[in-house]
Amino acid sequence: MSLDEVVRQLRHLPSAPRVLPRLKKLLCDGNSAIQDVVALVRLDPGISARVLQVGNSAYYSQGLRCYTVDEAVGRVGYDQIYELVANAVASQVLVRPLACYAIEADALWESSIACAVAAEILAERFNIDRDIAYTVGLLHGVGLVVIDEWVTRTNPGVSFVSRSLPFETCEEERNVLGFHNAEAGATLLRQWEFPSVISEALRWQYLPRGTAAHAQLATLLHLAKWIRTCARASDGLQPAMVDPVLLRTAKMTPGQLPKIAGDVRLRLKSIGSLLEDFQRKNCGLAFPNGRRVISDIRNA
C-alpha cells in the first residue's frame, strides 16, 4: 500500500488544518475583507468554538460576552487571527498521546510549540515569513500522529524508540513500514492542501541538503528541531552538533544555537505559567492563543 493510500485511510485525523493555507492566502491579500476571514473560520465548528472561547476569555472580553464568530474575530483582531487559528488547529491534531512512541499528549504539544517558537525566531535570519516558519515548526511532528494512527489500526504491537538527532526514529520507521514520519507528514499536509513550500520542508527535515527547491525552509526546520531538543532537555545536555554546512548556510556559528535554545526555554516557562493562569480563569480552555502570549512575552 502506498503512503498516499495509508494517509487516505486514516479515520481519526481532523480535516480542520485545510483552513490554514486558505486563511494565509486571504490574509496575504490586501483586498480581503474581514467577512471573508470570518466565513472561512465558520466552516469548521471546532475552530469556530475555539475562536468564540478565546473571544470570551478574560484576556479579551473585559466582562462583555460575544455570541458570534464575527464579534470574536473583531475582538481578537485581524492581525492575531492566524495565530489563534493555527494553535486551535494544531491542538486538534497534536494534543494526543502516541502509544507506539510512548509520547504523552503534553510532551507532544510542548515539543511542537518549542519547535514553532524556535522556527519563528530563526525566520528573520532566513528572510522567511514568520507565519510560515511558525506553521512548519508547529506541524513538524504531524507524521508521528499519522504513523501512530496507522500502527494502532494495523499492528498495535509495534513501537519505536526515539534516537538522537539528526535522524530520531526515521530509520527504524522506514525499516518497519517502508516510510518515515517526515514523509508521512508531508503526504498528509499535501492531502490537506498545504502549499509545497510547507509540506516539502517537512519531508526534508532530516536531510535538508537533499532538496534544492526547499532547502532554505527545510534547513530552518532542521535547526529549529535542534533548538527544540536542547531547550527541552532536562539534563542540560546538548544533542549532536548540527551539520556545519547547514550552519554556514544560515550564517550562524555553533555557539548561537544554544543561546537561542536558552531563549526558547525561558519563553516556554513563561508560556506555561501564563497558560496555567489562563486555564484557572477561563473555564478550562486548554490551549489559548499561544502566539499572542508569546508576543506579549517578547514585548514585555
Side-chain angles (χ1 to χ4, degrees), residues 3 6-7 10 13 93 96-101 140-161 169-188 206:
L3 183 51
V6 167
V7 171
L10 297 179
L13 294 180
V93 181
R96 64 179 71 198
L98 302 181
C100 75
Y101 295 99
H140 80 280
V142 72
L144 301 175
V145 179
V146 171
I147 289 177
D148 185 74
E149 287 275 350
W150 180 246
V151 167
T152 298
R153 283 185 57 195
T154 60
N155 196 343
V158 170
S159 62
F160 301 102
V161 178
T169 55
C170 72
E171 292 179 331
E172 190 178 355
E173 291 160 352
R174 182 178 285 282
N175 290 337
V176 174
L177 302 172
F179 56 86
H180 56 66
N181 74 87
E183 294 168 328
T187 300
L188 180 64
Y206 290 108

Side-chain angles (χ1 to χ4, degrees), residues 219-231:
T219 297
L220 179 147
L221 178 55
H222 190 87
L223 298 180
K225 288 175 63 178
W226 192 99
I227 294 167
R228 168 214 70 187
T229 302
C230 188

Side-chain angles (χ1 to χ4, degrees), residues 85-236:
V85 172
N87 282 282
V89 165
S91 71
Q92 293 184 21
V93 181
L94 299 171
V95 183
R96 64 179 71 198
L98 302 181
C100 75
Y101 295 99
I103 299 176
E104 296 298 327
D106 286 349
L108 178 62
W109 178 251
E110 183 183 277
S111 175
S112 303
I113 290 293
C115 193
V117 172
E120 187 178 46
I121 291 173
L122 292 173
E124 184 176 356
R125 182 178 296 275
F126 281 80
N127 195 28
I128 289 174
D129 181 280
R130 290 175 62 184
D131 285 339
I132 291 176
Y134 187 88
T135 302
V136 167
L138 191 66
L139 298 178
H140 80 280
V142 72
L144 301 175
V145 179
V146 171
I147 289 177
D148 185 74
E149 287 275 350
W150 180 246
V151 167
T152 298
R153 283 185 57 195
T154 60
N155 196 343
V158 170
S159 62
F160 301 102
V161 178
S162 184
R163 311 296 178 186
S164 60
L165 289 171
F167 296 116
E168 300 174 310
T169 55
C170 72
E171 292 179 331
E172 190 178 355
E173 291 160 352
R174 182 178 285 282
N175 290 337
V176 174
L177 302 172
F179 56 86
H180 56 66
N181 74 87
E183 294 168 328
T187 300
L188 180 64
L189 291 193
R190 190 177 69 250
Q191 292 193 15
W192 277 343
E193 300 176 14
F194 276 72
S196 60
V197 66
I198 293 179
S199 63
E200 289 304 301
L202 260 70
R203 184 184 303 278
W204 292 99
Q205 61 183 280
Y206 290 108
L207 292 170
R209 292 169 63 187
T211 174
H214 305 283
Q216 187 182 41
L217 192 52
T219 297
L220 179 147
L221 178 55
H222 190 87
L223 298 180
K225 288 175 63 178
W226 192 99
I227 294 167
R228 168 214 70 187
T229 302
C230 188
R232 297 185 66 237
S234 58
D235 53 13

